Amino acid sequence: MKLKIAKTVAALLLANVSVLAESTHLDDVNVNTTTAFDAQIKSISSQELEDKQASDVKDVLKSIPSVDVSGDARYAQKIYVRGLDDKSSNITVDGAKVGGQLFHHSGDQTIDPSLLKITSVELGPNSALSGSGVINGSFVYETKDPSDFLEPGEVFGGKVTLGYQSGYERKTGTVAVFGRVNDKLEFVGMGTISDDGTLRIGGGEEFTSKESTLKSGLAKIVIKANDYNTIKLSYNKYEDGGDRQLSGEKVGTDDEEDYNSITRDTFNLNYEYKPDNELVNIKANAYYNEQYLTREATSEATYEEPEREYKNTTVGYDLRNTSLSGIHKITYGTDYTHEEQERSADGYRVYTTGVTEDLNISGGEIDNRGLYIEDEMALNRLTLTLGARYDYHELGGIYDGTFKELSPKLKAKYQVNDELSLKTAYGHIFKGPALGETTALTSTSTQDDEVSAQIGNNFEVGFDYNLTNALNADYSIFGFNVYRYNVDNYSYPTKNNSLTSESDVVIWGLETMFSYEKDKFGLNASHSYTDGKEKDLESGTTYDPKAAHIHLFKIALNYQLLKELKGSYSTQFVPGNSWTEYTSSALVEYERGGYATHDVDFTYKPTSMKNTTFNFGVGNIFDKHYVSHNGFGSQSSSTNRNYDVGRNVKLQLSYRF
């Protein structure tokens, strides 16, 4: 019923807007979709990441409102956004989708910040352009282009960066070379090695079980055939492994561990055709992405196993065109994603009884075909965006079934006056059954008879108030947002190779953001709160999602102290709370202790040492001993807790030649 109402409202709005638009042109109105949220979630640049010496995904995302990253070691970090983790999000690297869950005690966002050009996050499922299966948001990572390094008239150059972080005993080196062969061909090659030693958590306790080495690289060629055609070919490699505990999100130890690694290989072909025609701006992206967990041969009490590899592969494309006509900015296109999983081994599992077992297994497959359209319209004070996606989701491999859905989307912003704007948004949620955890895949995996898609609706309302004049600032804005979404037939991949629907979830929350810039000073502050209810489908029991009752406060200050020196300070505060979990057929109330962390960072570019940059910083200055409220073992009573890194002194030197 709600879906029918939403479709009817969208159709009526579209018809009404078409009438209003007959005598209006895009050039006659002010199209301004910038919001307080955009200022903090869509502008994380490579320069900001370098200034903060970002070396893992937590460093990349820690400043973003409504996003919480738990975990200490790189491979242990998990991301929550608006109350659910990133298995409910769309994640892309240069347009290539990163899908699936390899192992439930490790994260799947394999990102090396040194290679990134920009990072943006789309909160909520309100855009038809964000891809299929979005429930709580989208993470978009874009790697560096040659033009991000090359100065005007420069034909060749390089950059070397060396760094150290005490909390992880992390020693990092990055080398980049870039060049312009002619006015049609540019290239960049980058490589990073980052070696982690003993991990030190808050309070001084140290562990050796999470030592590892990250090797990452980027090779990209940009071909500008003419003023209208641009082609980008790229390969991105990420490999992080070592003799470390497999369950990275559990508490560390000093035990000897077997080798394991997580690797991502991503191949991209991007094409843009932008002639001198407002009706044509074609963007195409084709990709091949595989992410896999490797475990060395092991000996257990009752059997021996050879080296194994657990792999998730994603292949796909996105083809879209954007047309400008009058008040309309219309984007329409099609996308396709193929996902599959498998386990392979170099031999058989051999039991002490002499029995052998073949460990090679082909798992499930997914083919998702999508069509989408989105129209952004400028109607004097009103900016209205209407869109829709149609997805055809088909299971294959060891699974079977098809699921299809039309998902309407809506965003509206009304400029009441020069300062105040009101906004609202709606997004229908559709996520076809996702593949279960790959390491839990077995030869006896079976499909639930009632496999269902995840269906729901997201509603948002809020406002922005421009405070630039009131505070005599260069720029200042205050924003507030309230959202509520539901997911029926919620299904989580961990140990769920039957693709069973587990619960109905309702999440609600609020977000407050404030930005201020004046001369050499800048301030970003945010508060987000998540709450909700979850109902177990088997028993009917109602309980709290893990992210319920969490307040998250973030503040970031930056100041240009001298011409050569700038500094920044950031803090995060999370008050203590409790939540009721449903576990072992019983309701249990858990307590979580509050915590606050403080970080400082400085960037020094001496004029006497051209092309040289020094960075210095201290994370978790007061050595707080804490667990993120979304982290493993966050309840105060747990003895197996994923404590965050303690005081972390960071040093970095960069030289450009």
Side-chain angles (χ1 to χ4, degrees):
M1 184 64 181
K2 288 182 179 179
L3 179 56
K4 291 181 179 179
I5 293 172
K7 290 179 179 177
T8 302
V9 170
L12 289 173
L13 281 170
L14 183 58
N16 187 44
V17 168
S18 296
V19 173
L20 289 171
E22 287 182 355
S23 60
T24 311
H25 297 281
L26 191 65
D27 294 339
D28 300 329
V29 294
N30 177 25
V31 182
N32 180 13
T33 58
T34 301
T35 69
F37 297 84
D38 293 338
Q40 296 190 35
I41 67 175
K42 294 186 177 180
S43 58
I44 304 174
S45 65
S46 60
Q47 186 60 59
E48 180 180 349
L49 296 178
E50 289 177 17
D51 289 346
K52 296 183 179 299
Q53 302 180 61
S55 60
D56 52 37
V57 70
K58 177 179 287 187
D59 292 336
V60 174
L61 301 173
K62 68 186 300 182
S63 65
I64 298 179
S66 282
V67 175
D68 182 37
V69 185
S70 67
D72 42 38
R74 270 186 300 258
Y75 71 112
Q77 295 171 352
K78 293 188 174 182
I79 296 95
Y80 277 75
V81 55
R82 283 189 171 181
L84 293 176
D85 79 357
D86 59 8
K87 301 301 172 289
S88 296
S89 307
N90 200 22
I91 305 163
T92 59
V93 180
D94 288 335
K97 188 171 183 178
V98 181
Q101 183 185 67
L102 286 173
F103 179 51
H104 62 280
H105 284 308
S106 63
D108 289 295
Q109 289 209 32
T110 48
I111 304 299
D112 177 11
S114 69
L115 308 182
L116 293 180
K117 172 182 181 177
I118 196 166
T119 304
S120 65
V121 177
E122 178 86 19
L123 297 175
N126 308 317
S127 174
L129 310 181
S130 297
S132 62
V134 177
I135 294 177
N136 56 353
S138 303
F139 296 85
V140 179
Y141 299 100
E142 186 178 346
T143 59
K144 293 175 180 175
D145 289 333
S147 58
D148 297 312
F149 293 98
L150 289 165
E151 302 289 347
E154 187 176 25
V155 296
F156 181 80
K159 185 176 181 180
V160 178
T161 302
L162 301 174
Y164 176 77
Q165 298 190 20
S166 65
Y168 307 94
E169 288 189 349
R170 179 171 292 168
K171 298 176 284 293
T172 302
T174 299
V175 177
V177 292
F178 38 88
R180 180 180 290 115
V181 178
N182 50 45
D183 61 354
K184 298 183 184 300
L185 180 62
E186 299 174 346
F187 67 89
V188 61
M190 298 185 65
T192 293
I193 296 179
S194 183
D195 187 66
D196 281 15
T198 299
L199 171 70
R200 182 187 180 280
I201 62 173
E205 192 173 1
E206 297 182 344
F207 305 115
T208 61
S209 62
K210 299 186 181 184
E211 298 177 348
S212 68
T213 299
L214 167 66
K215 300 176 183 177
S216 69
L218 171 69
K220 183 180 290 189
I221 297 173
V222 178
I223 304 170
K224 299 179 181 179
N226 51 44
D227 292 341
Y228 302 149
N229 294 272
T230 302
I231 300 171
K232 295 181 182 180
L233 297 166
S234 66
Y235 168 62
N236 183 201
K237 176 81 171 184
Y238 181 104
E239 181 181 351
D240 182 29
D243 296 330
R244 61 188 190 186
Q245 64 187 76
L246 182 65
S247 299
E249 69 171 345
K250 293 186 178 181
V251 68
T253 70
D254 287 323
D255 298 335
E256 291 186 9
E257 304 288 347
D258 296 323
Y259 180 87
N260 66 83
S261 65
I262 295 178
T263 302
R264 174 174 58 80
D265 290 301
T266 303
F267 298 85
N268 274 292
L269 169 61
N270 290 276
Y271 170 69
E272 182 175 9
Y273 176 59
K274 190 175 182 181
D276 189 16
N277 185 333
E278 290 190 338
L279 297 178
V280 180
N281 184 1
I282 297 174
K283 293 184 178 180
N285 175 53
Y287 61 87
Y288 174 87
N289 182 82
E290 61 181 25
Q291 189 159 269
Y292 47 96
L293 168 66
T294 301
R295 299 181 65 183
E296 74 173 359
T298 56
S299 295
E300 304 294 338
T302 59
Y303 60 84
E304 291 186 352
E305 289 185 316
E307 181 176 300
R308 289 137 288 156
E309 186 176 272
Y310 307 85
K311 181 187 295 184
N312 293 336
T313 302
T314 310
V315 182
Y317 69 80
D318 182 281
L319 173 64
R320 65 181 62 182
N321 181 57
T322 300
S323 300
L324 300 178
S325 177
I327 68 164
H328 300 275
K329 178 182 177 182
I330 306 173
T331 301
Y332 49 93
T334 178
D335 54 28
Y336 168 75
T337 304
H338 173 81
E339 298 181 50
E340 61 182 58
Q341 60 182 174
E342 64 175 327
R343 182 180 73 187
S344 59
D346 287 344
Y348 291 87
R349 175 185 289 167
V350 180
Y351 291 88
T352 53
T353 58
V355 175
T356 61
E357 180 182 355
D358 188 0
L359 297 178
N360 293 283
I361 300 173
S362 294
E365 297 182 11
I366 292 174
D367 287 288
N368 194 98
R369 299 168 179 87
L371 295 171
Y372 56 85
I373 185 170
E374 186 166 280
D375 186 3
E376 181 182 327
M377 295 159 278
L379 301 163
N380 294 319
R381 293 182 178 273
L382 175 65
T383 301
L384 181 64
T385 304
L386 295 176
R389 281 192 61 89
Y390 176 77
D391 287 291
Y392 185 87
H393 188 94
E394 184 176 10
L395 295 175
I398 63 173
Y399 304 121
D400 181 63
T402 58
F403 308 82
K404 49 191 175 181
E405 189 84 1
L406 178 66
S407 303
K409 314 283 186 178
L410 179 150
K411 291 185 284 186
K413 179 183 177 183
Y414 182 74
Q415 198 72 38
V416 178
N417 52 43
D418 289 343
E419 288 78 28
L420 177 64
S421 60
L422 307 178
K423 57 187 180 179
T424 187
Y426 165 77
H428 180 64
I429 294 170
F430 169 73
K431 183 177 179 65
L435 300 180
E437 174 190 353
T438 303
T439 52
L441 189 66
T442 69
S443 58
T444 58
S445 294
T446 57
Q447 180 176 335
D448 190 285
D449 293 334
E450 299 180 357
V451 173
S452 301
Q454 301 178 63
I455 300 288
N457 298 283
N458 179 77
F459 299 90
E460 299 182 34
V461 64
F463 69 88
D464 286 322
Y465 196 88
N466 192 306
L467 294 165
T468 302
N469 293 330
L471 298 180
N472 190 28
D474 295 332
Y475 175 78
S476 182
I477 193 169
F478 176 84
F480 179 75
N481 192 47
V482 179
Y483 64 87
R484 180 188 185 277
Y485 66 91
N486 69 287
V487 185
D488 294 339
N489 304 313
Y490 177 65
S491 175
Y492 197 68
T494 295
K495 301 179 181 179
N496 188 9
N497 290 104
S498 61
L499 313 187
T500 303
S501 299
E502 297 166 327
S503 62
D504 289 339
V505 182
V506 179
I507 302 287
W508 58 86
L510 56 87
E511 298 154 335
T512 306
M513 305 185 190
F514 173 70
S515 294
Y516 175 88
E517 296 176 13
K518 176 69 173 179
D519 297 330
K520 301 177 181 179
F521 175 75
L523 164 66
N524 284 325
S526 69
H527 163 251
S528 58
Y529 173 73
T530 55
D531 207 340
K533 287 296 179 183
E534 191 164 357
K535 184 177 74 172
D536 182 77
L537 293 178
E538 184 176 355
S539 67
T541 303
T542 300
Y543 53 99
D544 293 330
K546 187 171 184 178
H549 312 153
I550 296 179
H551 288 273
L552 182 58
F553 296 87
K554 297 181 180 182
I555 298 175
L557 311 171
N558 62 81
Y559 188 74
Q560 190 74 38
L561 300 165
L562 301 169
K563 182 180 179 180
E564 302 171 327
L565 178 66
K566 62 180 177 181
S568 66
Y569 162 79
S570 61
T571 182
Q572 178 174 288
F573 170 58
V574 182
N577 57 62
S578 62
W579 90 102
T580 302
E581 186 176 75
Y582 182 57
T583 177
S584 302
S585 301
L587 292 173
V588 181
E589 184 174 12
Y590 290 120
E591 299 288 336
R592 293 180 281 216
Y595 62 87
T597 61
H598 307 266
D599 307 332
V600 292
D601 291 280
F602 298 93
T603 298
Y604 178 54
K605 296 183 177 181
T607 56
S608 59
M609 301 177 66
K610 188 179 179 181
N611 298 328
T612 303
T613 302
F614 297 93
N615 294 99
F616 168 75
V618 183
N620 194 1
I621 297 173
F622 300 107
D623 206 26
K624 181 66 178 179
H625 190 236
Y626 73 99
V627 179
S628 166
H629 282 191
N630 286 308
F632 184 82
S634 59
Q635 59 269 29
S636 302
S637 59
S638 176
T639 57
N640 191 358
R641 314 184 71 198
N642 189 10
Y643 290 104
D644 212 307
V645 67
R647 184 182 297 112
N648 186 26
V649 178
K650 301 178 290 182
L651 302 169
Q652 184 171 279
L653 168 65
S654 298
Y655 178 72
R656 190 184 188 285
F657 58 89

